[in-house]
Amino acid sequence: MSAHRKEFEEIEPKEVFTILEKHRDDPDFVVMDVRTPEEYDEGHIENAYLLNFKSGSFEDELENMDKNKKYYVYCRTGRKSRKAVELMEKRGYSEAHSVIGGIDKWKRSRLPVEK
């Protein structure tokens, strides 16, 4: 990562895809889907960790996750992922990024989705 990059900025889907491909086997790079389980089942980014933003336990679950990993967070359009990243920043996470445009833009960019 370049020195000028902020640890909580939004990132374009193609850039996220490139980062995840480069660090495919690195457990410190985590892609997190904050949609509902039903939305996740309709299609998600490979190896995405599901953490439903709408669940009553979302903030509690954030407390139990490793705050030193690098998170790439997405939802359907980018709104919930931005809110999730803001919560992560407030809770002391070292790095979390929201995927601009969410899974919708990811798909429009013709990036791979799993079911």
Side-chain angles (χ1 to χ4, degrees):
M1 252 190 196
S2 57
H4 69 279
R5 166 159 291 157
K6 294 179 184 171
E7 286 81 10
F8 296 93
E9 75 177 0
E10 293 183 286
I11 303 183
E12 289 289 340
K14 287 183 179 182
E15 185 177 354
V16 173
F17 178 76
T18 300
I19 291 167
L20 294 175
E21 283 295 298
K22 184 177 177 184
H23 300 280
R24 178 177 279 278
D25 298 319
D26 188 338
D28 288 336
F29 286 76
V30 179
V31 60
M32 187 164 71
D33 187 325
V34 296
R35 299 175 302 155
T36 65
E38 295 78 20
E39 290 173 307
Y40 181 89
D41 289 343
E42 290 171 7
H44 56 269
I45 297 172
E46 182 182 12
N47 297 320
Y49 174 75
L50 177 63
L51 185 57
N52 183 357
F53 187 80
K54 293 181 178 178
S55 74
S57 61
F58 181 80
E59 293 188 44
D60 291 336
E61 290 183 56
L62 279 183
E63 285 302 318
N64 296 320
M65 294 171 56
D66 187 338
K67 294 179 177 155
N68 295 311
K69 293 186 178 191
K70 294 168 180 61
Y71 292 89
Y72 298 88
V73 184
Y74 73 95
C75 58
R76 188 173 58 83
T77 62
R79 287 189 193 101
K80 285 191 299 272
S81 60
R82 277 195 304 273
K83 290 178 184 174
V85 166
E86 287 172 13
L87 288 170
M88 294 169 86
E89 184 175 12
K90 288 177 185 171
R91 283 177 166 59
Y93 279 72
S94 59
E95 188 172 333
H97 304 279
S98 176
V99 178
I100 296 171
I103 193 84
D104 285 355
K105 187 168 184 180
W106 182 276
K107 289 177 182 176
R108 286 194 311 272
S109 302
R110 302 191 184 280
L111 296 168
V113 174
E114 289 193 342
K115 288 193 177 188

